[in-house]
Amino acid sequence: SPPLHGGDLSTRIPTMTLFHFMNCVLLTFLPYVVVYKGTKLSEYSAIAIVLSSAAIYVATQLVKVLLLATFLPATEDGVEMSVLQEGSRLVAGVGDLFGVRFALASVPRSIGDPDVIALGVGLGWAAAESSLERFLPLWLGARGLEFDWKYLQIALESNVNLPLFISLAVLVWLYGRKKLGPRRRPLVHILLAVVLLLPALMRCVQGRQAG
């Protein structure tokens, strides 16, 4: 076989890194397209619900950042800072509940199918979260010269968060229903608490594995 010249290597490396970047981006965002095309959302042309929910997500995150920057006390103690960070994330998760509730309430009444409403809000919320939290790290890191599994992990986390945020939208919608029976309401409360605590549990597991 002919020897690999420097020029050949210089042309192959950008191609490989671009291929790795595209793989990670498709793995991150393609499931959102599949969910939209494969459900009632495409039948109802509910892209407006998805985009509105994504915009409300961005606004909610801005409000949360401003509130946390204003009221979160400064400390140099590592343990205390860790506790404050986890507490602030839980409070921020409660803020997401209000944001999702507002997104559900902002859907036009002409769309009467609750499945479409909850699915559209959850999909838009998840898509905005992935775009803000993952696209920039993928753009800066996945195009590097060395392959790193952490970028595939970032993409897989997006797939995990997709059903998580859709479940959050469904639970918030159920919570707001007046006809929800007294036997089912405690179950909704428990599931909402699980959804809020799950990210903290995942971070704890990842921290132990890294340690």
Side-chain angles (χ1 to χ4, degrees):
S1 58
L4 184 62
H5 299 287
D8 297 330
L9 183 61
S10 63
T11 56
R12 289 188 182 186
I13 288 179
T15 302
M16 293 172 60
T17 56
L18 179 62
F19 182 71
H20 177 45
F21 169 71
M22 292 302 300
N23 275 339
C24 292
V25 169
L26 289 176
L27 183 60
T28 302
F29 296 104
L30 187 60
Y32 297 87
V33 179
V34 172
V35 170
Y36 182 86
K37 293 292 186 180
T39 59
K40 292 182 179 180
L41 293 175
S42 59
E43 298 177 8
Y44 281 78
S45 299
I47 188 64
I49 299 177
V50 177
L51 295 178
S52 174
S53 175
I56 293 173
Y57 172 85
V58 174
T60 302
Q61 303 314 304
L62 290 175
V63 172
K64 286 162 49 177
V65 168
L66 291 175
L67 291 177
L68 290 176
T70 303
F71 298 104
L72 186 65
T75 178
E76 297 182 356
D77 184 85
V79 176
E80 185 178 355
M81 175 59 70
S82 178
V83 173
L84 286 174
Q85 287 179 346
E86 288 301 326
S88 65
R89 285 170 176 169
L90 289 177
V91 173
V94 176
D96 285 336
L97 296 182
F98 289 99
V100 171
R101 179 60 182 166
F102 181 77
L104 291 168
S106 65
V107 176
R109 296 183 179 180
S110 58
I111 302 178
D113 193 330
D115 294 339
V116 174
I117 295 173
L119 185 59
V121 170
L123 182 62
W125 202 267
E129 190 266 348
S130 285
S131 298
L132 292 181
E133 297 288 337
R134 294 175 180 84
F135 182 79
L136 188 59
L138 290 176
W139 175 257
L140 295 177
R143 297 185 305 128
L145 298 181
E146 295 183 1
F147 174 83
D148 197 326
W149 284 103
K150 71 178 180 180
Y151 299 110
L152 286 178
Q153 182 181 355
I154 290 174
L156 292 174
E157 286 176 356
S158 175
N159 289 261
V160 173
N161 285 343
L162 175 57
L164 183 66
F165 284 121
I166 292 176
S167 301
L168 177 64
V170 172
L171 290 171
V172 173
W173 178 80
L174 288 173
Y175 180 82
R177 290 193 62 189
K178 296 181 180 179
K179 296 181 180 180
L180 190 64
R183 294 182 179 180
R184 297 179 180 178
R185 190 167 295 277
L187 178 60
V188 173
H189 293 171
I190 293 173
L191 291 176
L192 278 173
V194 170
V195 171
L196 288 177
L197 293 174
L198 188 59
L201 294 176
M202 293 175 63
R203 286 192 298 269
C204 181
V205 172
Q206 291 176 353
R208 289 182 177 274
Q209 290 178 348

